[in-house]
C-alpha cells in the first residue's frame, strides 16, 4: 500500500492529469497527513486510510482525496461538499474540502493549527478524543465561514472565548464534556445563525447572558446540564426551543419559560427552577 506523497501529486500536475480534487486542496490534504501523522500514534491511526491509490473508478488519477460518487472523500474523515447546499451525501461537491470530521479516534495534543490548511472548511468536528489545551483563536481567522464547530468529549480547559463570536456564519457550537470553566461570553448572543449550543458536562458558572434574547429566531438546542450556572432562563424565553437540558445546575432558579418547559428533554432535577431566585 502506497501512501500519499508529494512526488505523486507533483507528477500528476506536471503531466497535466488532474483529479476531481482541486490541486490546492489535494496539496493541503497531503501536507495535513504528512504533519499530523508525525504528531503521535493516535493521529497516525486516524489518518491511516489517507493512502494511494484511491479506489478504482473514483478518479482518473492515483491520488485524489475527493471522490466523484459522493461528497464524502476517498480519505476517511474528509468531506468535499464544495459550495453545494445539498445534504444528500450521494451528490459530489466541487473538489473542495469542506468537512473534516476526525471523531472518536482518541486523538491527542492541542487543537491542531494544521487544520488551517483547509481554507474552505464549513464543518470542523474533532470530538471524541483526548485533545487538551484551550480553544485557539486561530479558528476565527482560518475559518471565517465555519458552520459547525464540534470539540466535544475532549479534555479542553480554559474558558469559552468571546472571539468565537467573530464567526458569524456558525450555526452549531458543541463544546460539551470537556473541562471548560468560566462564564458564557455575552458576545455569543451576536451570532445571528446559532441553532445549537451545547455546554453540558463542563465546570462553567455564571448566568445566561441577556444577549441570548437575540437568538430567539434561531436557537433550537440549548444544553446546560452538569455545570454550575445560576439565575433564571429569561434570556431564552422568546426562543422556539426544541431540545434543552438543564439538570444538575443547583443555582438555576426562577420561573421556567414556556420555551424551556415544553421543550424535549426538560428536567429540573437538581436545580431550583420553579422557585424564586434568592
Amino acid at each position: 500500500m502506497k501512501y500519499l506523497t508529494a512526488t505523486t501529486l507533483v507528477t500528476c500536475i506536471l503531466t497535466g492529469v488532474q483529479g476531481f480534487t482541486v490541486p490546492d486542496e489535494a496539496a493541503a490534504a497531503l501536507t495535513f497527513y504528512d504533519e499530523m501523522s508525525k504528531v503521535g500514534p493516535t493521529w497516525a491511526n486516524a489518518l491511516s486510510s489517507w493512502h494511494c491509490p484511491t479506489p478504482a473508478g473514483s478518479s482518473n488519477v492515483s491520488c485524489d482525496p475527493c471522490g466523484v460518487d459522493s461528497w464524502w472523500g476517498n480519505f476517511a474523515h474528509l468531506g468535499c461538499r464544495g459550495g453545494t447546499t445539498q445534504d444528500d451525501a450521494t451528490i459530489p461537491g466541487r473538489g473542495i474540502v469542506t468537512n473534516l470530521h476526525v471523531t472518536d479516534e482518541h486523538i491527542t495534543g492541542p487543537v491542531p493549527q494544521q487544520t488551517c490548511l483547509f481554507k474552505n472548511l464549513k464543518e470542523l468536528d474533532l470530538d471524541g478524543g483526548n485533545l487538551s489545551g484551550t480553544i485557539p483563536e486561530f479558528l476565527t481567522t482560518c475559518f471565517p465561514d465555519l458552520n459547525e464547530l464540534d470539540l466535544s468529549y475532549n479534555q479542553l480547559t480554559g474558558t469559552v472565548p468571546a472571539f468565537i463570536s467573530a464567526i458569524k456564519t456558525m450555526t452549531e457550537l458543541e463544546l460539551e464534556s470537556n473541562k471548560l470553566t468560566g462564564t458564557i461570553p455575552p458576545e455569543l448572543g451576536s451570532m445571528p445563525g446559532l441553532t445549537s449550543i451545547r455546554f453540558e458536562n463542563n465546570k462553567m458558572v455564571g448566568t445566561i447572558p441577556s444577549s441570548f434574547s437575540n437568538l430567539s429566531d434561531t436557537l433550537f438546542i440549548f444544553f446546560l446540564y452538569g455545570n454550575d450556572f445560576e439565575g433564571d432562563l429569561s434570556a431564552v424565553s422568546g426562543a422556539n426551543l426544541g431540545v434543552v437540558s438543564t439538570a444538575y445546575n443547583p443555582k438555576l432558579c426562577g420561573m421556567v419559560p414556556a420555551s424551556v418547559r415544553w421543550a424535549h428533554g426538560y428536567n429540573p432535577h437538581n436545580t431550583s427552577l420553579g422557585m424564586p431566585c434568592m
Side-chain angles (χ1 to χ4, degrees), residues 211-252:
S211 61
F212 273 35
S213 63
N214 297 328
L215 305 178
S216 294
D217 291 338
T218 57
L219 190 61
F220 186 77
I221 298 172
F222 191 39
F223 281 15
L224 304 174
Y225 178 101
N227 283 281
D228 196 22
F229 292 120
E230 61 184 79
D232 63 44
L233 299 176
S234 60
V236 293
S237 62
N240 186 25
L241 294 172
V243 189
V244 300
S245 91
T246 58
Y248 293 96
N249 284 280
K251 299 174 187 175
L252 283 180

Side-chain angles (χ1 to χ4, degrees), residues 6-25:
T7 300
T8 304
L9 181 63
V10 170
T11 298
C12 290
I13 294 173
L14 290 178
T15 57
V17 179
Q18 180 176 320
F20 184 70
T21 313
V22 172
D24 286 349
E25 300 287 302

Side-chain angles (χ1 to χ4, degrees), residues 153-176:
Y153 293 91
N154 280 290
Q155 303 294 320
L156 298 176
T157 55
T159 62
V160 176
F163 57 68
I164 287 292
S165 65
I167 308 177
K168 300 301 184 185
T169 55
M170 190 177 296
T171 60
E172 300 178 42
L173 178 60
E174 299 168 341
L175 301 175
E176 70 268 22

Side-chain angles (χ1 to χ4, degrees), residues 2 9 14 28 56 69 88 106 109 114-115 125 142 148 159 162 167-168 170 178 204-205 208 234 270 273 277-278:
K2 182 180 179 182
L9 181 63
L14 290 178
D69 298 322
D88 186 349
H106 310 292
Q114 288 90 336
T115 55
D125 292 8
C142 293
E148 177 185 346
T159 62
I167 308 177
K168 300 301 184 185
M170 190 177 296
N178 278 287
M204 297 176 66
V205 299
I208 310 306
S234 60
N270 201 16
L273 289 169
C277 296
M278 304 301 293

Side-chain angles (χ1 to χ4, degrees), residues 39-276:
V39 169
T42 57
W43 274 103
N45 181 68
L47 303 179
S48 62
S49 69
W50 292 36
H51 60 76
C52 296
T54 44
S58 68
S59 177
N60 62 337
V61 297
S62 59
C63 285
D64 205 357
C66 294
V68 297
D69 298 322
S70 163
W71 60 254
W72 281 113
N74 287 318
F75 295 167
H77 315 300
L78 181 148
C80 302
R81 292 181 69 172
T84 70
T85 58
Q86 298 287 346
D87 289 327
D88 186 349
T90 65
I91 301 176
R94 300 180 304 180
I96 299 171
V97 177
T98 56
N99 299 57
L100 186 63
H101 289 205
V102 185
T103 62
D104 299 323
E105 292 287 350
H106 310 292
I107 50 178
T108 57
V111 176
Q113 192 162 0
Q114 288 90 336
T115 55
C116 291
L117 289 162
F118 301 108
K119 301 181 184 300
N120 298 287
L121 278 192
K122 301 294 185 182
E123 298 180 7
L124 177 60
D125 292 8
L126 302 177
D127 54 301
N130 288 297
L131 295 176
S132 56
T134 59
I135 299 171
E137 191 165 6
F138 66 72
L139 295 174
T140 63
T141 54
C142 293
F143 311 122
D145 299 320
L146 199 66
N147 298 146
E148 177 185 346
L149 177 63
D150 188 351
L151 300 177
S152 62
Y153 293 91
N154 280 290
Q155 303 294 320
L156 298 176
T157 55
T159 62
V160 176
F163 57 68
I164 287 292
S165 65
I167 308 177
K168 300 301 184 185
T169 55
M170 190 177 296
T171 60
E172 300 178 42
L173 178 60
E174 299 168 341
L175 301 175
E176 70 268 22
S177 296
N178 278 287
K179 298 179 180 180
L180 299 173
T181 56
T183 60
I184 300 174
E187 289 83 356
L188 298 189
S190 68
M191 301 174 73
L194 273 182
T195 63
S196 177
I197 299 175
R198 300 192 60 165
F199 293 142
E200 72 265 29
N201 291 318
N202 278 289
K203 301 177 181 180
M204 297 176 66
V205 299
T207 61
I208 310 306
S210 61
S211 61
F212 273 35
S213 63
N214 297 328
L215 305 178
S216 294
D217 291 338
T218 57
L219 190 61
F220 186 77
I221 298 172
F222 191 39
F223 281 15
L224 304 174
Y225 178 101
N227 283 281
D228 196 22
F229 292 120
E230 61 184 79
D232 63 44
L233 299 176
S234 60
V236 293
S237 62
N240 186 25
L241 294 172
V243 189
V244 300
S245 91
T246 58
Y248 293 96
N249 284 280
K251 299 174 187 175
L252 283 180
C253 58
M255 183 179 70
V256 182
S259 61
V260 175
R261 182 179 296 277
W262 303 115
H264 181 74
Y266 171 65
N267 183 349
H269 182 69
N270 201 16
T271 72
S272 296
L273 289 169
M275 295 184 284

